[in-house]
Amino acid sequence: MNYIKIFITLFAVLCSGIFSGTVSAQFKQTILFVPHDNRPISFGQTVDNIKALGYNVITPPQELIGNRDDLGHPEALQKWVAENAGRADIAVLSADSLVYGSLVASRKHDIPADVLQQRAVAAFADLHKKYPYLPVYVFGSIMRTPQTNAASSEEPDYYRVYGTMIARYTALLDKQEKDGLTGKEKRELANLKKSIPESSLNDWMARRAGNFEVNKYLISLAKDKSIAYLVLGCDDNAPYSQTDKERRELDQFAGDLNGTTYQSVAGLDELGMVLLTRTVNEMEGDIPFVNVHYAEGKGADTIPAYSNEKIKDSVKTHIKMAGGLQVNTDKRANFVLLLNTDKDGVTYAANDLTNTTAPRANTASFVDMVGKYLKEGKNVGIADIDFGNGSDNALMNLLWQKDYLAKLKAYAGWNTPTNSSGYAISMGMLSSYTDQNGTIKMLMPRYLDEWLYQANIRQQVANKLDSFKGEGDYNDTKTRTAQAQDYATTLMRQDVMKYGLDKFPDEMALDKLEVRFPWHRLFEADVVIPAADATTVTTTASGK
């Protein structure tokens, strides 16, 4: 008998009783969830995954949640949470939504520091006073540092002009603190300081300082147990960056809390899914065991794009955050996670012309590893992080040819590599609470999103856009939106038939899907699938 597994599971059941008020729950419980924006990948799809397992997930009205244009309504959200938290067994809350309004708002707001502090008190300290026995899980962001002007779609306007210089300037300051600078780097630092307008740099750093103080306050609330579990995610950053500097300082401030009720991690958009998975594992009374393997080459030591740490460290942290335990043997694993990494540890862009179906150095061996574990009857999931913002076409083509797609327990390849690995870990854990048809319901949005749209259709629509009547471009489709939607719909329906995705269980309506661009840009594409009961299921492809 596996006595270690039995002991840990029993411990999890007892912990679950602490959170739910009973050791053996007789019914599925209620989770109150506030996302950091209204993108379905971090809101609707995530909530649907949890609801499909039989949990009651209550969420705020759509009009209160921030998006690309409406930066959110933090005071109204706080009021809604306070009025509805009494219905919940546990709450999973976005600090960005409740303090700033949304994730985007946290990057470009002009809110005075004292107002931010007041909001944080109202959102979390006052909530704990009103509901002292409600476990509150909080996820927030350490403000990102886009590395280039082009990557600054959600920053103040000056970042589109000086962003590359600001990122480099703060990277050198970080390197100076950690490792010291060469003479050449010292001169570069001085020149950058002269070249960046003082007003722009001051604005950026002042906003960061206000956000930093909010995060310190959240850590203080975790220390006094007003917050039961706190995660701070590092969106777009690098090993040398202002984001990495602030993460180190916050981790130091957390002290002994690190790794217990506080955790920082590379990645952000996946955190709602990760913490909801943690709540499900606790309510189910289980600690999933996860065994991890990487593609040949750099593998576990890859530092992927948009990250400041090796992927093996992010994976280990995500597993722990989701309520699981990483193990070193397949025999004890409930779930085997395989990470598709580039042989040389490089992250490419999924819409790049190099992303073809031609196998690369380690594609065949990786697919062989997938087949090996499937044949052994293992629960297998894939984090496809060779490319950013979409699937590896060579990998997906081989998985399709070998008929592996419908047999997986998890797959993700969206946005940043850490978004993908964290989401895949969560999917793999959740799959143990449903059958394969239920798992396919989680898989299908990922195949439509990462593979068909992000890695292929997105660029095809972009190439065709200028031939449409009216005005519009990649970042704002304007009067060309309807034509772009129609073209993307045609392409996706063709690909669904080509790869036989409509033959998957309960997926016959895929031939009637429609692609929409609700944010009027090609970064996101809602895929609306008619359901048999006349309702609709919406999946969203989210790019960077």
Side-chain angles (χ1 to χ4, degrees), residues 25-78:
Q26 300 301 313
F27 53 87
K28 298 291 187 180
Q29 293 145 302
T30 297
I31 305 167
L32 184 146
F33 177 57
V34 175
H36 55 219
D37 58 36
N38 74 345
R39 286 172 297 167
I41 184 64
S42 51
F43 181 31
Q45 290 177 13
T46 290
V47 169
D48 288 344
N49 288 337
I50 307 302
K51 284 184 175 180
L53 301 177
Y55 288 90
N56 179 30
V57 184
I58 52 177
T59 58
Q62 282 272 5
E63 61 268 20
L64 297 185
I65 301 173
N67 55 46
R68 182 189 183 191
D69 302 313
D70 180 352
L71 297 185
H73 308 273
E75 288 89 356
L77 277 174
Q78 290 172 19

Side-chain angles (χ1 to χ4, degrees), residues 2 4 22 63 92 110 128 155 166 204 214 219-220 222 269 282 297 342-343 377 380 393 397-398 435 446 449 453 463:
N2 190 337
I4 295 176
T22 176
E63 61 268 20
V92 178
D110 294 310
H128 178 67
E155 273 66 33
I166 291 174
W204 196 66
V214 168
I219 293 173
S220 297
D269 288 346
E282 288 176 346
D342 176 71
K343 187 174 184 295
V380 178
N393 277 318
N397 190 58
L398 277 179
D435 59 17
R446 307 277 60 82
D449 176 339
Y453 181 74
N463 292 339

Side-chain angles (χ1 to χ4, degrees), residues 267-287:
L268 180 60
D269 288 346
E270 75 283 4
L271 295 185
M273 175 70 157
V274 171
L275 288 189
L276 286 171
T277 301
R278 182 184 183 91
T279 68
V280 169
N281 283 329
E282 288 176 346
M283 291 173 174
E284 296 285 345
D286 195 16
I287 297 178

Side-chain angles (χ1 to χ4, degrees), residues 51-109:
K51 284 184 175 180
L53 301 177
Y55 288 90
N56 179 30
V57 184
I58 52 177
T59 58
Q62 282 272 5
E63 61 268 20
L64 297 185
I65 301 173
N67 55 46
R68 182 189 183 191
D69 302 313
D70 180 352
L71 297 185
H73 308 273
E75 288 89 356
L77 277 174
Q78 290 172 19
K79 181 181 178 184
W80 180 87
V81 170
E83 291 174 348
N84 289 276
R87 302 163 52 196
D89 296 290
I90 194 167
V92 178
L93 307 176
S94 162
D96 293 314
S97 287
L98 291 167
V99 175
Y100 312 104
S102 65
L103 178 59
V104 174
S106 74
R107 299 166 179 168
K108 57 198 306 183
H109 67 82

Side-chain angles (χ1 to χ4, degrees), residues 52-213:
L53 301 177
Y55 288 90
N56 179 30
V57 184
I58 52 177
T59 58
Q62 282 272 5
E63 61 268 20
L64 297 185
I65 301 173
N67 55 46
R68 182 189 183 191
D69 302 313
D70 180 352
L71 297 185
H73 308 273
E75 288 89 356
L77 277 174
Q78 290 172 19
K79 181 181 178 184
W80 180 87
V81 170
E83 291 174 348
N84 289 276
R87 302 163 52 196
D89 296 290
I90 194 167
V92 178
L93 307 176
S94 162
D96 293 314
S97 287
L98 291 167
V99 175
Y100 312 104
S102 65
L103 178 59
V104 174
S106 74
R107 299 166 179 168
K108 57 198 306 183
H109 67 82
D110 294 310
I111 306 167
D114 60 331
V115 175
L116 295 178
Q117 189 70 18
Q118 291 167 12
R119 289 181 180 175
V121 171
F124 303 109
D126 291 351
L127 180 67
H128 178 67
K129 290 178 182 177
K130 187 173 182 179
Y131 302 102
Y133 300 108
L134 175 69
V136 177
Y137 291 177
V138 177
F139 61 104
S141 65
I142 300 173
M143 190 171 155
R144 73 179 187 173
T145 307
Q147 296 299 293
T148 64
N149 300 348
S152 60
S153 60
E154 296 167 354
E155 273 66 33
D157 290 343
Y158 59 75
Y159 209 93
R160 294 180 179 85
V161 180
Y162 301 105
T164 303
M165 288 192 287
I166 291 174
R168 178 60 179 165
Y169 175 72
T170 57
L172 288 172
L173 288 177
D174 187 27
K175 186 173 187 291
Q176 185 177 50
E177 180 179 310
K178 286 196 292 190
D179 303 319
L181 299 179
T182 65
K184 181 180 179 181
E185 288 171 333
K186 290 178 182 178
R187 292 189 293 273
E188 182 185 3
L189 181 65
N191 289 332
L192 284 168
K193 187 174 183 180
K194 293 177 183 177
S195 302
I196 303 169
E198 186 176 0
S199 59
S200 298
L201 189 59
N202 288 345
D203 175 80
W204 196 66
M205 294 302 291
R207 184 173 299 104
R208 299 195 73 103
N211 292 11
F212 182 82
E213 290 304 316

Side-chain angles (χ1 to χ4, degrees), residues 7 26 45 74 108 135 143 163 189 244 250 274 279 310 330 335 372 443 446 448 450 468 521:
F7 173 78
Q26 300 301 313
Q45 290 177 13
K108 57 198 306 183
M143 190 171 155
L189 181 65
D244 186 65
L250 289 166
V274 171
T279 68
K310 293 179 179 180
D330 302 323
F335 169 54
K372 169 183 177 293
L443 286 169
R446 307 277 60 82
L448 298 176
E450 283 92 279
F468 297 148
R521 65 181 188 180

